[in-house]
């Protein structure tokens, strides 16, 4: 980083405005900060910067496919299989698009869920009663214990009930 003007408060505090490029991977990095006072005198301080890794979730398809359910007059839950995850996500939420919301598929707030490091299925995806048959799209946001998050586009199909016509 280039020279940056900064005024230190007396006592303790935090240095803000340290630039971290978006392409830097999660990890621990060491460096030396040089600071200079108004008289031109300099000193150095060894610093450590920890960048927490963004969680990832790998699925067999893009967008990720939530296991289809059948239309029913009762609330139900479904699952979304995944083939791998990194950086230990611990929760998820779903923001369904306007079409899904208009069909009564409500957004799902933060839901605690511990993702397995290998493959698994996200459970507890709620489907409210009377959501009409159709295919709906949304965005799942998943977060780890460090507060880092990522998103995945998802799709859910609600199959219509069969009908029987009699003569």
């Amino acid at each position: 980083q280039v020279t940056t003007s900064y005024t230190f408060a007396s006592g303790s505090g935090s240095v803000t405005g340290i630039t971290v490029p978006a392409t830097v991977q999660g990890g621990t990095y060491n460096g030396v900060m040089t600071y200079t006072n108004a008289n031109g005198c300099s000193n150095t301080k060894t610093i450590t910067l920890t960048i927490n890794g963004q969680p990832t979730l790998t699925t067999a398809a893009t967008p990720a496919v939530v296991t289809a359910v059948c239309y029913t007059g009762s609330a139900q839950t479904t699952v979304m299989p995944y083939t791998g995850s990194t950086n230990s996500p611990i929760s998820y939420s779903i923001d369904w698009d306007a079409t899904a919301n208009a069909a009564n598929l409500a957004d799902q707030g933060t839901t605690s869920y511990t993702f397995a490091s290998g493959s698994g299925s996200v459970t507890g995806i709620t489907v409210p009663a009377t959501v009409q048959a159709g295919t709906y799209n949304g965005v799942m946001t998943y977060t780890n214990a460090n507060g880092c998050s990522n998103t995945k586009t998802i799709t859910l199909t609600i199959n219509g009930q069969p009908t029987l016509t009699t003569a």
Side-chain angles (χ1 to χ4, degrees), residues 6-63:
Y6 188 83
T7 302
F8 288 87
S10 61
S12 63
S14 297
V15 175
T16 60
I18 297 173
T19 302
V20 179
T23 56
V24 175
Q25 296 296 312
T28 301
Y29 300 91
N30 297 308
V32 176
M33 178 175 65
T34 302
Y35 49 98
T36 307
N37 67 14
N39 297 323
C41 300
S42 298
N43 205 348
T44 60
K45 180 74 176 173
T46 301
I47 61 170
T48 300
L49 172 66
T50 300
I51 298 174
N52 296 314
Q54 189 177 36
T56 62
L57 190 59
T58 307
T59 55
T62 301

Side-chain angles (χ1 to χ4, degrees), residues 23-111:
T23 56
V24 175
Q25 296 296 312
T28 301
Y29 300 91
N30 297 308
V32 176
M33 178 175 65
T34 302
Y35 49 98
T36 307
N37 67 14
N39 297 323
C41 300
S42 298
N43 205 348
T44 60
K45 180 74 176 173
T46 301
I47 61 170
T48 300
L49 172 66
T50 300
I51 298 174
N52 296 314
Q54 189 177 36
T56 62
L57 190 59
T58 307
T59 55
T62 301
V65 178
V66 176
T67 301
V69 295
C70 293
Y71 170 84
T72 179
S74 301
Q76 55 188 321
T77 61
T78 188
V79 301
M80 185 192 77
Y82 61 92
T83 57
S85 71
T86 62
N87 295 317
S88 309
I90 60 166
S91 67
Y92 69 92
S93 61
I94 300 173
D95 180 18
W96 295 107
D97 68 13
T99 301
N101 290 154
N104 297 323
L105 187 55
D107 295 341
Q108 184 167 338
T110 300
T111 304

Side-chain angles (χ1 to χ4, degrees), residues 70-162:
C70 293
Y71 170 84
T72 179
S74 301
Q76 55 188 321
T77 61
T78 188
V79 301
M80 185 192 77
Y82 61 92
T83 57
S85 71
T86 62
N87 295 317
S88 309
I90 60 166
S91 67
Y92 69 92
S93 61
I94 300 173
D95 180 18
W96 295 107
D97 68 13
T99 301
N101 290 154
N104 297 323
L105 187 55
D107 295 341
Q108 184 167 338
T110 300
T111 304
S112 294
Y113 180 80
T114 302
F115 291 73
S117 60
S119 61
S121 289
V122 178
T123 60
I125 297 172
T126 58
V127 180
T130 68
V131 175
Q132 297 303 307
T135 299
Y136 303 105
N137 300 303
V139 175
M140 175 183 281
T141 300
Y142 47 99
T143 305
N144 65 17
N146 294 320
C148 301
S149 62
N150 207 340
T151 60
K152 180 157 286 294
T153 302
I154 63 174
T155 185
L156 166 65
T157 298
I158 299 175
N159 295 311
Q161 290 183 328

